Amino acid sequence: MSTTTVNPFLAGNFAPVQNEITADELTVIGELPQDLSGMFVRNGPNPQFPSSANYHWFGGDGMLHGVQISNGKASYRDRYVRTPRFEKERETGQALEGLTASVQNQESSPSLTNRANTSVIWHSDHFLALYEGGEPYGIKLPELETIGAYTFEDKLASAFTAHPKIDPVTGEMMFFGYSPQPPFLTYSIVSRSGELVRTVPIDLPEPVMMHDFAITQDYTLFMDLPMVFNPQGEAMLQFKSERPSRFGIVPRHGDNSSIRWFESPSCYAFHILNAYQEGDEVVLIACRMSSCTVLTALEETGGDPDSNKPRLYQWRFNLRTGNVQEKPLDERISDFPRINEQLIGRKMRYGYTAKMADNPMPLFEGVIKYDFDNGTSQVHHYGAGRYGGEAVFAPRPNGTAEDDGWLITFVHDHNSDTSELVVLNAQDLTAEPVARVLMPQRVPYGFHGTWVSQEQLIHSI
């Protein structure tokens, strides 16, 4: 008797939904705050035509799930990001090649590798869906309709990270692109008004997967970690555990000639919480793994039991002495770090991560709030059989405290196979949710989201 193995990323709440819907007047358990006004949008993979044999979670077509909140009421819509890849699949009625093949072939067909499925950002009145292997896609708000590829008036000369950073004071947006082909790393700056004003190559000894980076008030920080492209191997990436981690710190408007490199033990980090300057030091806080087998051959980490288990870590890079200090901040496994984005690049007191469940799949059972001033933390647990995602901080309008606002995320209840938007009081994390908005359909697990304020929503192009 033969059995068919189900791809775990096509089962349960990882499985895609088929319908693009719009629903108003959603049921709310609790009460949505009157001053919480805007739109929560989260991106994630939702394959139109999944191939069970080849499908990887990172490879699904991008789908945006949005909840608009105003006057204590909420509406929901979900829409695919209509990339050339999406349209080609829709035309042929089948999925294009898998993730590995598409990354290796991005030189030959770049427009057909971009899924626009990883993150979103609002900057200079534009809302963009992001995928680190290609260009951003402009999205119309609140409709979530695709406008098209966004290339900064054809000045975009590289891929565009899924994690650009916006300086809350200057309004500049910094981003980078990495590539298996030279230049392996390209660094760019967009002005407050949305003009791409600067692009410079940064030399790396070999091509690496660089998912995130950081800024401070004066510097930009790159992570040259040992997740190396391996075009000749079975897997497209190889984690070289014998290779140290390198961190490059460059003045914001500097270039390859002004970058300084610091070394620390081998590791990998997908996501950064924040970075800031303190005296002679640049401080970095990120979710660190001792090794990583995502998209690599499993045996390449030497059976490391902590592989793929991110924990919050701190690095201190002394710009005067060249010294590096690295230490864990928590033993608990968590990822998807966020802060109040009004403090990007500045010293912050609070940070938030998604607490991972003890499960081989990437399931998040709650939110951890860190108080870095006094070294304490709090946890909000979603409850038995309930799993969420990245918790996005939405600041209270005219709030004065750093944590005066709400944490927002989608939560799926495995017991009832239903989804909801959960709104937590960031100042009282262990309390029951302020509001639970019941979704009209299941919202699959996804990646990164953002809060678009009502003011930003009004001005979006």
Side-chain angles (χ1 to χ4, degrees):
M1 180 177 174
S2 64
T3 58
T4 301
T5 301
V6 177
N7 186 317
F9 289 116
L10 295 174
N13 197 47
F14 289 95
V17 292
Q18 302 303 318
N19 299 320
E20 295 175 297
I21 67 173
T22 302
D24 298 319
E25 300 282 341
L26 302 179
T27 299
V28 179
I29 298 173
E31 189 172 339
L32 287 166
Q34 286 296 315
D35 46 358
L36 180 64
S37 185
M39 190 171 188
F40 174 76
V41 184
R42 198 218 64 200
N43 204 344
N46 197 86
Q48 295 182 83
F49 307 103
S51 169
S52 184
N54 300 319
Y55 180 68
H56 188 285
W57 195 33
F58 294 175
D61 302 294
M63 177 176 272
L64 303 173
H65 298 265
V67 178
Q68 189 173 357
I69 297 171
S70 180
N71 297 318
K73 297 183 178 181
S75 60
Y76 166 84
R77 68 189 73 209
D78 65 310
R79 298 290 187 273
Y80 276 108
V81 184
R82 281 165 161 72
T83 63
R85 177 187 178 86
F86 172 92
E87 299 293 2
K88 183 70 173 178
E89 289 179 328
R90 180 65 54 104
E91 176 188 328
T92 61
Q94 62 183 18
L96 293 177
E97 76 278 357
L99 183 64
T100 300
S102 70
V103 170
Q104 292 173 339
N105 293 339
Q106 63 176 311
E107 284 294 293
S108 59
S109 56
S111 68
L112 295 183
T113 67
N114 193 333
R115 286 113 164 124
N117 70 4
T118 310
S119 189
V120 287
I121 196 165
W122 189 96
H123 181 254
S124 185
D125 298 342
H126 292 275
F127 191 71
L128 306 175
L130 308 177
Y131 178 78
E132 64 200 63
E135 68 272 16
Y137 274 77
I139 303 297
K140 183 175 175 56
L141 294 180
E143 295 85 356
L144 299 183
E145 303 296 347
T146 302
I147 299 169
Y150 192 81
T151 60
F152 300 90
E153 297 183 341
D154 294 328
K155 292 181 181 179
L156 181 64
S158 71
F160 190 103
T161 176
H163 293 287
K165 299 293 186 286
I166 298 173
D167 186 307
V169 177
T170 69
E172 293 169 299
M173 177 169 66
M174 278 55 70
F175 72 91
F176 70 93
Y178 70 85
S179 172
Q181 294 84 26
F184 300 142
L185 178 62
T186 306
Y187 167 47
S188 300
I189 300 175
V190 178
S191 71
R192 177 191 290 271
S193 63
E195 182 186 0
L196 204 169
V197 295
R198 181 175 174 81
T199 296
V200 295
I202 302 291
D203 289 344
L204 297 179
E206 56 188 338
V208 298
M209 179 184 180
M210 189 183 299
H211 185 66
D212 203 352
F213 78 131
I215 64 167
T216 70
Q217 180 177 328
D218 299 312
Y219 297 101
T220 297
L221 191 152
F222 297 106
M223 301 190 296
D224 177 16
L225 307 180
M227 181 80 83
V228 178
F229 277 95
N230 182 31
Q232 308 307 320
E234 285 185 23
M236 70 175 179
L237 292 162
Q238 176 187 8
F239 185 83
K240 293 185 175 181
S241 56
E242 75 285 355
R243 178 187 179 282
S245 299
R246 301 196 323 143
F247 297 84
I249 299 177
V250 62
R252 177 173 298 180
H253 294 273
D255 55 27
N256 191 66
S257 67
S258 52
I259 195 166
R260 290 184 61 187
W261 290 99
F262 298 78
E263 287 193 2
S264 70
S266 178
C267 71
Y268 195 73
F270 275 105
H271 299 120
I272 287 171
L273 184 138
N274 198 22
Y276 57 90
Q277 295 160 229
E278 194 167 60
D280 292 329
E281 295 180 319
V282 169
V283 181
L284 171 70
I285 299 178
C287 293
R288 176 194 187 275
M289 296 175 279
S290 57
S291 60
C292 182
T293 62
V294 176
L295 299 176
T296 72
L298 293 178
E299 67 275 7
E300 287 173 352
T301 60
D304 176 6
D306 276 337
S307 182
N308 305 324
K309 294 180 179 178
R311 294 178 171 90
L312 204 63
Y313 262 67
Q314 180 193 83
W315 291 260
R316 303 184 81 96
F317 307 99
N318 193 303
L319 299 177
R320 181 175 56 84
T321 66
N323 185 48
V324 181
Q325 292 181 317
E326 172 189 305
K327 70 174 183 179
L329 298 179
D330 195 355
E331 283 301 307
R332 290 170 294 189
I333 301 168
S334 70
D335 207 340
F336 286 169
R338 297 296 293 244
I339 63 169
N340 179 337
E341 294 190 346
Q342 295 165 333
L343 288 166
I344 286 179
R346 274 74 180 174
K347 188 173 183 180
M348 70 294 160
R349 178 173 179 177
Y350 301 108
Y352 313 92
T353 64
K355 184 177 185 295
M356 299 189 79
D358 184 13
N359 193 291
M361 296 296 286
L363 296 175
F364 299 95
E365 62 187 11
V367 183
I368 306 175
K369 176 186 180 180
Y370 293 95
D371 183 332
F372 297 112
D373 280 6
N374 61 26
T376 61
S377 64
Q378 294 179 313
V379 181
H380 180 92
H381 290 279
Y382 298 129
R386 291 167 57 86
Y387 302 100
E390 178 185 66
V392 171
F393 184 84
R396 185 189 303 274
N398 303 314
T400 55
E402 178 185 331
D403 61 346
D404 190 3
W406 303 272
L407 294 168
I408 305 176
T409 188
F410 287 118
V411 170
H412 180 257
D413 191 321
H414 279 219
N415 309 299
S416 60
D417 196 27
T418 57
S419 298
E420 55 196 55
L421 184 82
V422 171
V423 180
L424 306 173
N425 180 352
Q427 293 185 316
D428 191 9
L429 196 67
T430 58
E432 289 294 308
V434 173
R436 295 163 52 201
V437 183
L438 305 187
M439 295 293 100
Q441 69 173 358
R442 184 174 60 80
V443 178
Y445 298 127
F447 300 138
H448 303 288
T450 195
W451 173 253
V452 182
S453 70
Q454 184 62 29
E455 182 181 1
Q456 291 172 329
L457 209 54
I458 291 170
H459 291 98
S460 289
I461 296 173

